[in-house]
Amino acid sequence: MCSDIGTASRVCAMYSFTGIIFTLFVGVLLQTQPFFITGLDDSSAAKSNAFGAMGMFIATFGISLFGIMRTSKDEREEIEDDGYQLGTVSSKSGGDYAASRYD
């Protein structure tokens, strides 16, 4: 599934984006209404941990975007170096297309 850097970066970027949204929600909930989350001894420490985790997800998202951009640049160069042309017809195929491309 993740056999190259580009695919792994896309998977990590989606996971990190989801983590950013979730930890932002938890952090805002702990900041505004901590009584909705039961079992917390120290809500300020939990809020700090939630925003710290969000920072780690943001860092992972940034690294993933770097991997995506680096891989997409390499893929563009590979496509340009292949030398393929669209619309060429060989004379071996016969038919009306072998004579001219404007006929």
Side-chain angles (χ1 to χ4, degrees):
M1 181 175 143
C2 295
S3 60
D4 62 342
I5 298 294
T7 305
S9 295
R10 286 180 186 91
V11 170
C12 286
M14 290 301 296
Y15 175 74
S16 298
F17 181 74
T18 305
I20 291 168
I21 298 299
F22 178 72
T23 53
L24 177 67
F25 171 73
V26 171
V28 168
L29 186 64
L30 286 170
Q31 186 174 10
T32 57
Q33 299 172 341
F35 52 87
F36 280 122
I37 301 177
T38 60
L40 289 178
D41 294 332
D42 188 11
S43 64
S44 63
K47 179 180 69 170
S48 174
N49 290 337
F51 287 126
M54 187 176 70
M56 293 302 291
F57 278 119
I58 289 171
T60 305
F61 186 74
I63 293 168
S64 299
L65 287 181
F66 175 74
I68 291 170
M69 289 188 299
R70 181 176 175 210
T71 305
S72 66
K73 183 177 72 170
D74 293 341
E75 288 174 358
R76 263 189 266 127
E77 290 176 0
E78 287 177 11
I79 292 172
E80 293 173 357
D81 291 340
D82 286 341
Y84 292 113
Q85 294 180 354
L86 296 176
T88 59
V89 178
S90 67
S91 60
K92 294 179 184 178
S93 65
D96 294 334
Y97 296 107
S100 172
R101 93 177 215 203
Y102 297 108
D103 286 342

